[in-house]
Amino acid sequence: MISFSSIQPTFAAQPPTTSAADTSRLFHHQVSFPSPPHHHRQHYPPARRHGLRVRAMDAAQPYDYEAHLINRVNQSTKLKIAVVGFGNFGQFLAKAFVRQGHTVYAHSRSNYLSVAESIGATFFSDLHDLCEQHPDVILICTSIISTESVLRSLPLQRLRRNTLFVDVLSVKEFPKNIFLQVLPSHFDILCAHPMFGPESGKHSWQTLPFVFDKVRIGDEDSRLARVENFLDIFRKEGCRMVEMTCAEHDKYAAGSQFITHTMGRILEKLHLDSTPINTKGYETLLDLVENTASDSFDLYYGLFMYNENAMEQLERLDLAFEALKKELFGHLHDVLRKQLFGKSEEGAVRRPVLGKLPKKGTPFLSPGHPQSETLGNEKE
Ligand code: NAP
């Protein structure tokens, strides 16, 4: 394309004898394009009537060249993102995508036509119609437990051959393996986990962790740029970007996120009420219940079922609770015996001590197991 740049050297060589208004008229006479808006006219470089030669059609509209360029750069970083699974979290993410100027398509089991419309996304109840839009990114945001069936139901043949698949499931090894099994090798794969939700991220995403693993990205520049464009959405919102493998994520998340959700759900069962004398600690517990209980049970169940480290954490939690009770009751027992038997038993009573739990990652041994005596009366 030849544009303003092609006639710029001619302008530069001319002494400034012609006014901006003359130049505008010159354009008007020599080529019959509409006159540019007034505020643009003033930016024309001075030129002599006969020195100006228009060599290309689009060179007649130099006034919008810069804007045009900026627009083109913007366009190249804007993505067409198809959110598959338009529930609680899918809608939450879609709002940010739209806010940043990306085109959002949505699909879900339920009909979210009007919700999508209100967000500025386009809803497709038919997956074929959605795929025929040729999105740059397919974002899987379904419940963990339904992910495999949803992925297998996608008409992959309707997509562009190098479409980028992203998942935002709260477990990572599972979707990675399913993606690698189901998606032909010409599709790119990014596994990601924004470690916040509609509650914890409702005001801002600043400093909130975003974990990702570039599982399979083709080495063409456009594909590398596309994945960075997608990650930029979260960078721009201020997320703390953490690149790690899916396996590492699952290990850390079982010890942190799964424990957090479990404690939140246990506390929820206690139906805690706010009191007039809430301590800061108690407020934290109430917040925890609010943050975790608003997530679906499917999500919590997925954290348990699809993270192989979760079972160990649940067992550690059980052990810790038992050990704590033992320590409390041991104290009580100690006091009672002193009252009952006085000095005669002094020195003979051994108070149960909270032993150390097995370190994370050591195999869990059932209470009857001969090597499971880490908890109990003896100190390590
Ligand atoms: P969710 O209960 O885990 O998932 C709800 C979504 O799954 C909805 O779009 C729902 O579709 C879809 N779905 C459920 N069962 C389905 C089935 N049998 N077939 C097809 N679709 C089905 O709740 P969520 O909070 O929206 O989470 C979505 C994903 O984001 C999960 O993988 C979760 O781990 C991840 N994530 C969530 C958070 C969070 O804070 N909420 C944070 C990070 C990551 P319909 O609504 O159409 O029924």
Side-chain angles (χ1 to χ4, degrees):
M1 183 181 75
I2 308 167
S3 186
F4 186 39
S5 54
S6 67
I7 55 173
Q8 237 170 353
T10 322
F11 282 138
Q14 304 308 316
T17 53
T18 313
S19 72
D22 281 347
T23 312
S24 171
R25 274 198 298 279
L26 185 70
F27 266 95
H28 230 56
H29 286 300
Q30 292 194 341
V31 284
S32 54
F33 286 104
S35 178
H38 183 73
H39 63 278
H40 287 299
R41 285 181 213 160
Q42 294 167 5
H43 297 304
Y44 286 151
R48 227 195 266 158
R49 239 166 217 274
H50 303 295
L52 180 65
R53 285 207 313 276
V54 176
R55 295 202 180 100
M57 297 288 276
D58 54 356
Q61 304 173 25
Y63 58 90
D64 68 349
Y65 179 67
E66 222 170 283
H68 180 67
L69 259 191
I70 291 168
N71 200 23
R72 267 180 37 195
V73 171
N74 278 345
Q75 284 304 317
S76 68
T77 59
K78 295 303 172 207
L79 296 166
K80 291 196 284 181
I81 305 172
V83 179
V84 176
F86 205 55
N88 192 23
F89 197 56
Q91 292 170 26
F92 173 67
L93 290 180
K95 285 178 197 159
F97 299 159
V98 170
R99 202 168 54 234
Q100 289 197 22
H102 300 283
T103 302
V104 177
Y105 307 129
H107 169 81
S108 216
R109 176 179 60 167
S110 316
N111 187 338
Y112 290 111
L113 197 71
S114 53
V115 179
E117 218 172 77
S118 69
I119 290 174
T122 312
F123 189 80
F124 293 86
S125 41
D126 187 314
L127 270 174
H128 290 261
D129 292 341
L130 174 91
C131 292
E132 279 172 2
Q133 302 303 311
H134 293 160
D136 302 300
V137 179
I138 296 271
L139 183 87
I140 303 293
C141 197
T142 47
S143 65
I144 298 168
I145 53 178
S146 67
T147 294
E148 181 167 1
S149 63
V150 170
L151 190 66
R152 289 189 188 279
S153 70
L154 285 173
L156 300 179
Q157 74 283 2
R158 299 208 185 277
L159 293 167
R160 275 211 310 253
R161 277 179 58 79
N162 69 10
T163 307
L164 168 64
F165 274 76
V166 182
D167 85 281
V168 288
L169 272 55
S170 306
V171 292
K172 294 274 53 83
E173 273 286 283
F174 167 69
K176 174 185 141 188
N177 292 335
I178 294 292
F179 274 174
L180 288 172
Q181 268 176 36
V182 175
L183 299 177
S185 58
H186 49 79
F187 289 119
D188 286 349
I189 299 173
L190 172 74
C191 288
H193 184 196
M195 303 212 53
F196 50 89
E199 264 306 311
S200 53
K202 68 179 161 202
H203 299 304
S204 151
W205 298 1
Q206 281 289 335
T207 71
L208 300 177
F210 180 92
V211 177
F212 64 98
D213 184 1
K214 293 175 189 169
V215 172
R216 186 176 74 200
I217 308 292
D219 54 11
E220 290 153 43
D221 286 349
S222 59
R223 292 165 81 165
L224 296 170
R226 180 177 55 192
V227 78
E228 290 309 320
N229 279 345
F230 181 79
L231 292 171
D232 274 347
I233 297 174
F234 297 88
R235 289 192 187 107
K236 280 182 190 157
E237 297 288 332
C239 290
R240 185 161 60 80
M241 308 300 285
V242 186
E243 186 164 9
M244 66 168 63
T245 64
C246 291
E248 282 172 326
H249 166 278
D250 283 1
K251 220 166 179 55
Y252 286 126
S256 58
Q257 191 191 26
F258 178 67
I259 291 283
T260 309
H261 278 253
T262 302
M263 295 314 297
R265 285 187 180 270
I266 291 173
L267 293 171
E268 189 205 7
K269 295 206 178 300
L270 295 179
H271 300 291
L272 302 179
D273 283 327
S274 188
T275 74
I277 51 166
N278 288 355
T279 58
K280 281 215 183 300
Y282 188 64
E283 293 280 355
T284 312
L285 293 189
L286 294 178
D287 285 349
L288 177 63
V289 174
E290 198 178 313
N291 266 330
T292 49
S294 53
D295 286 329
S296 71
F297 191 79
D298 272 2
L299 197 162
Y300 178 59
Y301 178 63
L303 294 180
F304 172 68
M305 264 307 278
Y306 292 86
N307 186 341
E308 62 175 20
N309 308 288
M311 189 61 174
E312 183 198 327
Q313 293 301 332
L314 206 57
E315 282 163 347
R316 283 172 55 79
L317 213 57
D318 237 1
L319 281 175
F321 190 51
E322 281 309 314
L324 199 61
K325 278 199 298 189
K326 223 170 172 179
E327 192 178 9
L328 279 178
F329 297 152
H331 260 287
L332 185 63
H333 191 240
D334 202 357
V335 171
L336 282 178
R337 285 193 75 91
K338 265 194 187 142
Q339 281 178 3
L340 284 174
F341 305 112
K343 287 202 176 244
S344 61
E345 265 204 341
E346 210 160 77
V349 179
R350 289 198 308 152
R351 186 165 55 78
V353 172
L354 178 65
K356 280 192 182 148
L357 284 173
K359 282 212 164 64
K360 276 185 200 170
T362 50
F364 171 72
L365 302 168
S366 60
H369 193 282
Q371 288 168 15
S372 69
E373 285 303 306
T374 19
L375 297 172
N377 290 345
E378 68 280 13
K379 271 187 182 167
E380 269 185 2

